Coordinates of all heavy atoms in Angstrom, one line a residue:
R1 N 16.5 5.1 0.6 CA 15.5 4.2 0.1 C 16.1 3.1 -0.8 O 15.8 1.9 -0.8 CB 14.4 4.9 -0.6 CG 13.2 4.1 -0.9 CD 12.1 5.0 -1.3 NE 11.5 4.4 -2.6 CZ 10.6 5.0 -3.3 NH1 10.2 6.2 -2.9 NH2 10.1 4.5 -4.3
E2 N 17.0 3.5 -1.7 CA 17.7 2.6 -2.6 C 18.6 1.6 -1.9 O 18.6 0.5 -2.2 CB 18.5 3.4 -3.7 CG 19.2 2.6 -4.7 CD 18.3 1.8 -5.7 OE1 17.0 2.1 -5.6 OE2 18.8 1.0 -6.4
I3 N 19.3 2.1 -0.9 CA 20.2 1.3 -0.1 C 19.4 0.2 0.6 O 19.7 -1.0 0.6 CB 21.0 2.1 0.9 CG1 22.1 2.9 0.1 CG2 21.7 1.2 1.9 CD1 22.8 4.0 0.9
V4 N 18.2 0.6 1.2 CA 17.4 -0.4 1.9 C 16.8 -1.4 0.9 O 16.8 -2.6 1.2 CB 16.2 0.4 2.6 CG1 15.2 -0.6 3.1 CG2 16.8 1.2 3.8
R5 N 16.4 -0.9 -0.3 CA 15.9 -1.8 -1.3 C 16.9 -2.9 -1.7 O 16.6 -4.1 -1.8 CB 15.4 -1.0 -2.5 CG 14.7 -1.9 -3.6 CD 14.4 -1.1 -4.8 NE 15.6 -0.7 -5.5 CZ 16.4 -1.5 -6.3 NH1 16.0 -2.8 -6.4 NH2 17.4 -1.1 -6.9
I6 N 18.1 -2.4 -1.9 CA 19.2 -3.4 -2.3 C 19.5 -4.3 -1.2 O 19.6 -5.5 -1.4 CB 20.5 -2.6 -2.7 CG1 20.2 -1.8 -4.0 CG2 21.7 -3.5 -2.8 CD1 21.3 -0.8 -4.3
G7 N 19.5 -3.8 0.1 CA 19.7 -4.7 1.2 C 18.7 -5.7 1.4 O 18.9 -6.9 1.6
N8 N 17.4 -5.3 1.2 CA 16.3 -6.3 1.4 C 16.4 -7.4 0.3 O 16.1 -8.5 0.6 CB 14.9 -5.5 1.3 CG 14.6 -4.7 2.5 OD1 15.2 -5.0 3.6 ND2 13.7 -3.8 2.4
R9 N 16.7 -7.0 -0.9 CA 16.8 -7.9 -2.0 C 17.9 -8.9 -1.7 O 17.7 -10.2 -1.9 CB 17.1 -7.2 -3.3 CG 17.1 -8.1 -4.5 CD 17.4 -7.4 -5.8 NE 16.2 -6.5 -6.1 CZ 16.3 -5.6 -7.1 NH1 17.3 -5.4 -7.8 NH2 15.2 -4.9 -7.3
A10 N 19.0 -8.5 -1.2 CA 20.2 -9.4 -0.9 C 19.8 -10.3 0.3 O 20.2 -11.5 0.2 CB 21.4 -8.5 -0.5
V11 N 19.1 -9.9 1.3 CA 18.7 -10.7 2.4 C 17.7 -11.8 1.9 O 17.9 -13.0 2.2 CB 18.0 -9.9 3.5 CG1 17.3 -10.8 4.5 CG2 19.1 -9.1 4.2
K12 N 16.7 -11.4 1.1 CA 15.8 -12.4 0.5 C 16.5 -13.5 -0.3 O 16.2 -14.7 -0.2 CB 14.7 -11.7 -0.3 CG 13.7 -11.0 0.6 CD 12.6 -10.3 -0.3 CE 11.8 -9.5 0.6 NZ 10.7 -10.1 1.2
K13 N 17.5 -13.1 -1.1 CA 18.3 -14.0 -1.9 C 19.0 -15.0 -1.0 O 19.1 -16.2 -1.3 CB 19.2 -13.2 -2.8 CG 20.0 -14.1 -3.7 CD 21.0 -13.3 -4.6 CE 21.8 -14.3 -5.4 NZ 23.0 -13.7 -6.0
A14 N 19.7 -14.4 0.0 CA 20.5 -15.3 0.9 C 19.6 -16.3 1.7 O 19.9 -17.4 1.9 CB 21.2 -14.4 1.9
Q15 N 18.4 -15.8 2.1 CA 17.4 -16.7 2.8 C 17.0 -17.8 1.9 O 16.9 -19.0 2.3 CB 16.2 -15.9 3.3 CG 16.5 -15.0 4.4 CD 15.4 -14.0 4.7 OE1 14.6 -13.7 3.9 NE2 15.3 -13.6 6.0
K16 N 16.7 -17.5 0.6 CA 16.3 -18.5 -0.4 C 17.4 -19.5 -0.6 O 17.1 -20.7 -0.6 CB 15.9 -17.8 -1.7 CG 15.4 -18.8 -2.7 CD 15.0 -18.0 -4.0 CE 14.5 -19.0 -5.0 NZ 15.2 -18.9 -6.3
E17 N 18.6 -19.0 -0.8 CA 19.7 -19.9 -1.0 C 20.0 -20.8 0.2 O 20.3 -22.0 0.0 CB 21.0 -19.1 -1.3 CG 20.9 -18.4 -2.7 CD 22.1 -17.5 -2.9 OE1 23.0 -17.3 -2.0 OE2 22.2 -16.9 -4.0
S18 N 19.9 -20.3 1.4 CA 20.0 -21.1 2.6 C 19.0 -22.3 2.6 O 19.4 -23.4 2.8 CB 19.9 -20.3 3.8 OG 20.9 -19.4 4.0
L19 N 17.8 -22.0 2.4 CA 16.7 -23.0 2.4 C 17.0 -24.0 1.3 O 16.8 -25.2 1.5 CB 15.4 -22.4 2.2 CG 14.9 -21.5 3.4 CD1 13.6 -20.8 3.0 CD2 14.8 -22.3 4.7
E20 N 17.4 -23.6 0.1 CA 17.8 -24.5 -1.0 C 18.9 -25.4 -0.6 O 18.9 -26.6 -1.1 CB 18.1 -23.7 -2.3 CG 16.9 -23.1 -2.9 CD 17.2 -22.1 -4.0 OE1 18.4 -21.9 -4.3 OE2 16.3 -21.7 -4.7
M21 N 19.8 -25.0 0.2 CA 20.9 -25.8 0.7 C 20.6 -26.7 1.9 O 21.4 -27.4 2.4 CB 22.2 -25.0 1.0 CG 22.8 -24.3 -0.3 SD 24.3 -23.5 0.1 CE 23.8 -22.1 1.1
G22 N 19.3 -26.6 2.4 CA 18.9 -27.3 3.5 C 19.2 -26.7 4.9 O 19.2 -27.4 5.9
I23 N 19.6 -25.4 4.8 CA 19.9 -24.7 6.1 C 18.7 -23.9 6.5 O 18.3 -23.0 5.8 CB 21.1 -23.8 5.9 CG1 22.3 -24.6 5.3 CG2 21.5 -23.0 7.1 CD1 23.4 -23.8 4.8
P24 N 18.2 -24.1 7.8 CA 17.1 -23.4 8.3 C 17.5 -21.9 8.5 O 18.6 -21.6 8.8 CB 16.8 -24.0 9.6 CG 17.4 -25.4 9.5 CD 18.6 -25.2 8.7
N25 N 16.5 -21.0 8.2 CA 16.7 -19.6 8.5 C 16.3 -19.3 9.9 O 15.4 -20.0 10.5 CB 15.8 -18.7 7.6 CG 16.4 -18.7 6.1 OD1 17.6 -18.7 5.9 ND2 15.5 -18.8 5.2
V26 N 16.9 -18.4 10.6 CA 16.6 -18.0 12.0 C 16.1 -16.6 12.1 O 16.7 -15.7 11.5 CB 17.9 -18.2 12.8 CG1 17.6 -17.9 14.3 CG2 18.6 -19.6 12.6
Y27 N 15.1 -16.4 12.9 CA 14.5 -15.1 13.1 C 14.3 -14.9 14.6 O 14.1 -15.9 15.3 CB 13.2 -15.0 12.4 CG 13.2 -15.3 10.9 CD1 13.0 -16.5 10.4 CD2 13.6 -14.3 10.0 CE1 13.0 -16.8 9.0 CE2 13.7 -14.5 8.6 CZ 13.4 -15.8 8.2 OH 13.5 -16.1 6.8
S28 N 14.2 -13.7 15.0 CA 13.8 -13.4 16.4 C 12.7 -12.4 16.4 O 12.7 -11.4 15.7 CB 15.0 -12.8 17.1 OG 14.7 -12.4 18.4
L29 N 11.7 -12.6 17.2 CA 10.6 -11.7 17.3 C 10.2 -11.6 18.8 O 9.9 -12.6 19.5 CB 9.3 -12.2 16.5 CG 8.1 -11.3 16.6 CD1 8.3 -10.0 16.0 CD2 6.9 -12.0 15.9
N30 N 10.4 -10.4 19.3 CA 10.1 -10.1 20.7 C 10.9 -11.1 21.6 O 10.4 -11.6 22.6 CB 8.6 -10.2 21.1 CG 7.8 -9.1 20.4 OD1 8.3 -8.0 20.2 ND2 6.6 -9.5 19.9
G31 N 12.2 -11.3 21.3 CA 13.0 -12.2 22.1 C 12.8 -13.7 21.9 O 13.5 -14.5 22.5
V32 N 11.9 -14.1 21.1 CA 11.6 -15.5 20.8 C 12.3 -15.9 19.5 O 12.1 -15.2 18.5 CB 10.1 -15.8 20.7 CG1 9.9 -17.3 20.4 CG2 9.4 -15.4 22.0
I33 N 13.1 -17.0 19.5 CA 13.8 -17.4 18.3 C 12.9 -18.4 17.5 O 12.3 -19.3 18.1 CB 15.1 -18.1 18.7 CG1 16.0 -17.0 19.3 CG2 15.8 -18.7 17.4 CD1 17.3 -17.6 19.8
F34 N 12.7 -18.1 16.2 CA 12.0 -19.0 15.3 C 12.9 -19.5 14.2 O 13.8 -18.8 13.8 CB 10.8 -18.2 14.6 CG 9.8 -17.7 15.6 CD1 9.9 -16.5 16.2 CD2 8.7 -18.4 15.8 CE1 8.9 -16.0 17.1 CE2 7.7 -18.0 16.7 CZ 7.8 -16.8 17.4
Y35 N 12.6 -20.7 13.8 CA 13.4 -21.3 12.7 C 12.4 -21.6 11.5 O 11.3 -22.1 11.7 CB 14.0 -22.6 13.1 CG 14.9 -22.4 14.3 CD1 14.4 -22.5 15.6 CD2 16.3 -22.1 14.1 CE1 15.3 -22.3 16.7 CE2 17.1 -22.0 15.2 CZ 16.6 -22.1 16.5 OH 17.5 -21.9 17.5
Q36 N 12.8 -21.2 10.3 CA 12.1 -21.6 9.1 C 12.9 -22.7 8.5 O 14.0 -22.6 8.0 CB 12.0 -20.4 8.1 CG 11.3 -20.7 6.8 CD 11.4 -19.6 5.8 OE1 12.3 -18.8 5.9 NE2 10.5 -19.6 4.9
L37 N 12.2 -23.9 8.4 CA 12.9 -25.1 7.9 C 12.8 -25.1 6.4 O 11.9 -24.4 5.8 CB 12.2 -26.3 8.5 CG 12.1 -26.4 10.0 CD1 11.4 -27.6 10.5 CD2 13.5 -26.3 10.6
P38 N 13.6 -25.8 5.7 CA 13.6 -25.9 4.3 C 12.3 -26.3 3.7 O 12.0 -25.9 2.5 CB 14.7 -26.9 3.9 CG 15.7 -26.8 5.1 CD 14.8 -26.5 6.3
D39 N 11.4 -27.0 4.4 CA 10.1 -27.4 3.9 C 9.1 -26.3 4.1 O 7.9 -26.5 3.8 CB 9.6 -28.7 4.5 CG 9.3 -28.6 6.0 OD1 9.4 -27.5 6.6 OD2 8.9 -29.7 6.5
G40 N 9.5 -25.2 4.7 CA 8.6 -24.0 4.9 C 8.0 -24.0 6.3 O 7.4 -23.0 6.7
T41 N 8.2 -25.0 7.1 CA 7.6 -25.1 8.4 C 8.3 -24.0 9.3 O 9.5 -23.8 9.2 CB 7.9 -26.5 9.1 OG1 7.3 -27.5 8.3 CG2 7.4 -26.5 10.5
I42 N 7.5 -23.3 10.1 CA 8.1 -22.4 11.1 C 7.9 -23.0 12.5 O 6.9 -23.5 12.9 CB 7.3 -21.1 11.1 CG1 7.2 -20.5 9.7 CG2 7.8 -20.1 12.1 CD1 8.5 -19.9 9.2

């Protein structure tokens, strides 16, 4: 549980930093690729 908590925190930090640098985050759900743009648009 502690390892998962640390990993989740690190991922959220990296996602936030990417958006702050203007780099969209990429996600996949059921084989569909989604992008989260720095302005929050999905």
Side-chain angles (χ1 to χ4, degrees):
R1 191 169 130 186
E2 180 68 6
I3 291 169
V4 169
R5 186 187 67 76
I6 291 168
N8 286 341
R9 185 180 292 169
V11 167
K12 287 181 187 276
K13 181 181 177 196
Q15 290 170 332
K16 181 179 181 236
E17 289 173 357
S18 291
L19 293 174
E20 288 172 353
M21 291 186 295
I23 302 167
N25 289 320
V26 182
Y27 305 95
S28 175
L29 179 64
N30 296 325
V32 178
I33 297 176
F34 295 88
Y35 301 91
Q36 179 187 20
L37 305 180
D39 69 1
T41 303
I42 305 290

